[in-house]
Amino acid sequence: MSYILHLGHQPTDISGVAGSLSTVAAGFDETLDVNGIRFNGSRTLAAPFAVGFPAPVGDMWLGFRYVPPNNDSESITQSNAGFLEFFDAENVRIAQVRPLTSTNRYHAEAHGDTLVQGSSSYFAPNGQAQWVDVRLNVGAEITIEFYVDGVLQSTATAANTGGKGKPVQVVFANSGLHGTSSSRTWYYAHIAVLDGVSTIGRRFVRRIPNAIASFNEMVGSIDALSDSDIATRVASSAAGQRMSFSLTGPTGPASVTAIAGVHIKQIAQAGTDGPDATTGFLRMGGVNHDATPVTVPDLAPVPVYSSWAINPADANPWSDLTLPNEVGILSA
């Protein structure tokens, strides 16, 4: 089972970003991705976006790259300022990370039987890119931990005898993050949500389909897989059809100490007839290595992740020299 609950920040991934994507680096790591989510506005701007995902089995970990507003980010003047809000399947808020006017800092809050607010050591520095990580555990208690660049900044724990559920959505509130009426600019990138696996120090390099390779058995062009448009698709009329392709995009940092896994993400939907499952595969040395198929609904498209923790060709850990050059999708 993959530990991936969510990866990415394209319009097909999350709500509210279609007009906010930017190729300006602005502090996010170009060796991992080629765009960020850009916002520009006054302190009264309300431009939330949301990420939905399946409920985790273990702790939920959220990680992303954050560039605070390029000026006045250290001044919180709105009492309703908001940064991150977490909700369960009943749409009940279970935790948040909230900037406070009384301290000008970002505080972790656990929303259990009572609201418990942690102290904080974090001021948002003007325009300085940072890695943000949040751990959220929901059980008999709700515990939230807020990290910046791997350092714990704020934590809170509240009793949960009322039985609030595990997180299934995070809202990036984008409210009152700087203390001036002038417009400021801030960014997010590299968003990941993991199940029971820490996001601290874990980075994801996002590459996209480039050109057809060994298999072209589905209807539709390779462009439909790489344009981030949910309306353009490829289709399979029978189980067992494959489409494979080379990849383009960033190849990752120059020096990589360890590669934890290879993941293929697709947005898929079943049709009214034909196959109702899909999976990804790696093609290495002329051999196909298929992941376990996943049944998808016909009501709406959903993300499907296929994962390999080790190299399936030789059962060794991945290295930058053994990463596959050809990957693909398989109807099942």
Side-chain angles (χ1 to χ4, degrees), residues 151-163:
V151 178
L152 181 64
Q153 305 288 336
S154 183
T155 183
T157 298
N160 185 35
T161 60

Side-chain angles (χ1 to χ4, degrees), residues 231-263:
T232 58
R233 311 177 180 185
V234 299
S236 171
S237 58
Q241 292 181 328
R242 297 178 185 267
M243 176 178 278
S244 67
F245 35 83
S246 59
L247 299 170
T248 186
T251 56
S255 59
V256 179
T257 57
I259 297 175
V262 171
H263 311 275

Side-chain angles (χ1 to χ4, degrees), residues 8 39 67 122 130 143 147 153 162 166 174 177 191 202 226 285 309 313 332:
F39 291 100
V67 181
Y122 176 70
Q130 302 141 94
T143 296
Y147 297 82
Q153 305 288 336
K166 290 178 177 288
N174 290 307
L177 297 179
I191 298 171
R202 191 176 295 258
S226 58

Side-chain angles (χ1 to χ4, degrees), residues 304-320:
V304 175
Y305 297 97
S306 304
S307 299
W308 294 263
I310 58 175
N311 185 339
D314 56 18
N316 288 324
W318 290 107
S319 76
D320 56 348

Side-chain angles (χ1 to χ4, degrees), residues 275-323:
D276 62 358
T278 186
T279 191
F281 70 94
L282 311 179
R283 184 167 175 82
M284 306 172 69
V287 177
N288 298 327
H289 300 276
D290 301 343
T292 302
V294 175
T295 300
V296 293
D298 59 5
L299 293 178
V302 296
V304 175
Y305 297 97
S306 304
S307 299
W308 294 263
I310 58 175
N311 185 339
D314 56 18
N316 288 324
W318 290 107
S319 76
D320 56 348
L321 300 178
T322 62
L323 291 173

Side-chain angles (χ1 to χ4, degrees), residues 40-65:
N40 178 268
S42 70
R43 65 188 175 198
T44 59
L45 173 70
F49 66 91
V51 174
F53 45 87
V57 175
D59 295 352
M60 183 225 70
W61 280 87
L62 166 70
F64 58 95
R65 190 73 158 157

